[in-house]
Amino acid sequence: IEKEIKKLERRQETTSMSLSEEKKLIKEIDALKASKKLVSDIKSKDATMDDLKVQRKSLGDQIGAKDKEIDAVSAEIEKVNASMEAINKKDQAKRDNVKELFTERDGIKKEITAKISEKDALRDDFSEKNDNWYDYRRAIKAQQKIQYEEEKAKRDAERAEYEAKLEAEEAKKIPYEAEQELCEFLASYLER
């Protein structure tokens, strides 16, 4: 553009031309000068575009590297997921086993409850029979006590009667008879 402007300016200076041609030539020079700014803008934009292309390529490379990292992390995640699935399968087997154990426990609880009910029924039956036996023992003891009281009253009456008889015989005897006999015995002993 600079060469073209100098060429046109030289032509204007060295060549004689009509006024309209000269105006036309000046317009061309002005147009070229105006396009000079436009061209410099375009060149700066081209430079910017080149920088952007370089940045784009750099970003593309970085994105590619990140994609590789993401792929590696995805592979790790898949490995972890596979191991998690294996663990979940093992845990599922354990959960199924636990469910079976819970079912078995519930069955055993029902059996225990039935045995406890049976034990309670037997205990209640035993308690009732035991209570009846104790009632029977108390009745026998009460009957024996009544019989003992009757016999005691009869013995007491016989004893009272016997003692009354003894007292009556004692009353018939001479007072101090035993002492008199003792005195007589001593006197006979001393006389010897």
Side-chain angles (χ1 to χ4, degrees):
I1 291 179
E2 283 294 325
K3 284 182 183 179
E4 192 63 33
I5 290 173
K6 284 186 180 181
K7 183 178 167 189
L8 288 175
E9 284 177 347
R10 185 172 169 107
R11 190 172 138 201
Q12 179 189 7
E13 292 171 1
T14 56
T15 310
S16 66
M17 52 182 91
S18 66
L19 185 62
S20 65
E21 285 180 359
E22 194 172 333
K23 281 185 181 179
K24 190 177 174 187
L25 190 65
I26 290 174
K27 278 187 183 178
E28 260 186 66
I29 290 172
D30 288 341
L32 281 174
K33 284 183 181 177
S35 70
K36 187 176 167 184
K37 287 181 183 176
L38 184 62
V39 167
S40 69
D41 284 345
I42 288 175
K43 279 186 180 181
S44 71
K45 299 236 187 235
D46 279 345
T48 306
M49 286 291 283
D50 289 341
D51 287 343
L52 288 176
K53 284 180 184 177
V54 168
Q55 287 178 357
R56 181 177 176 206
K57 185 178 179 189
S58 171
L59 288 174
D61 292 342
Q62 289 176 359
I63 288 172
K66 290 294 179 190
D67 283 343
K68 288 179 183 176
E69 286 179 26
I70 289 171
D71 291 342
V73 169
S74 295
E76 283 294 318
I77 289 173
E78 287 176 12
K79 286 180 187 176
V80 169
N81 282 340
S83 66
M84 289 286 286
E85 286 178 17
I87 290 170
N88 282 339
K89 286 179 183 177
K90 287 179 185 176
D91 286 348
Q92 185 63 38
K94 288 179 183 176
R95 282 189 215 111
D96 292 342
N97 190 18
V98 167
K99 286 179 185 176
E100 291 173 10
L101 290 174
F102 280 147
T103 305
E104 185 178 339
R105 182 195 66 186
D106 292 342
I108 291 171
K109 274 186 179 179
K110 287 179 184 175
E111 289 177 18
I112 288 171
T113 304
K115 292 294 181 186
I116 288 173
S117 298
E118 185 179 335
K119 178 193 73 141
D120 290 344
L122 289 171
R123 185 187 63 224
D124 292 343
D125 185 47
F126 173 77
S127 294
E128 184 180 338
K129 288 180 179 179
N130 200 23
D131 289 345
N132 290 339
W133 183 79
Y134 274 113
D135 288 343
Y136 175 74
R137 291 283 298 156
R138 278 191 225 95
I140 288 176
K141 282 189 177 188
Q143 187 178 12
Q144 287 175 345
K145 186 176 181 183
I146 291 170
Q147 191 176 10
Y148 174 77
E149 293 292 329
E150 288 175 355
E151 288 176 5
K152 184 179 177 193
K154 185 177 176 185
R155 279 193 311 266
D156 287 346
E158 287 175 359
R159 186 177 189 100
E161 184 181 325
Y162 175 74
E163 286 177 1
K165 216 184 221 186
L166 280 179
E167 281 183 23
E169 282 182 25
E170 284 289 324
K172 289 180 187 177
K173 286 184 180 179
I174 302 169
Y176 307 109
E177 182 179 339
E179 288 85 0
Q180 285 176 359
E181 287 176 7
L182 183 61
C183 285
E184 285 177 13
F185 173 73
L186 282 172
S188 70
Y189 178 73
L190 290 173
E191 288 177 0
R192 276 194 234 170

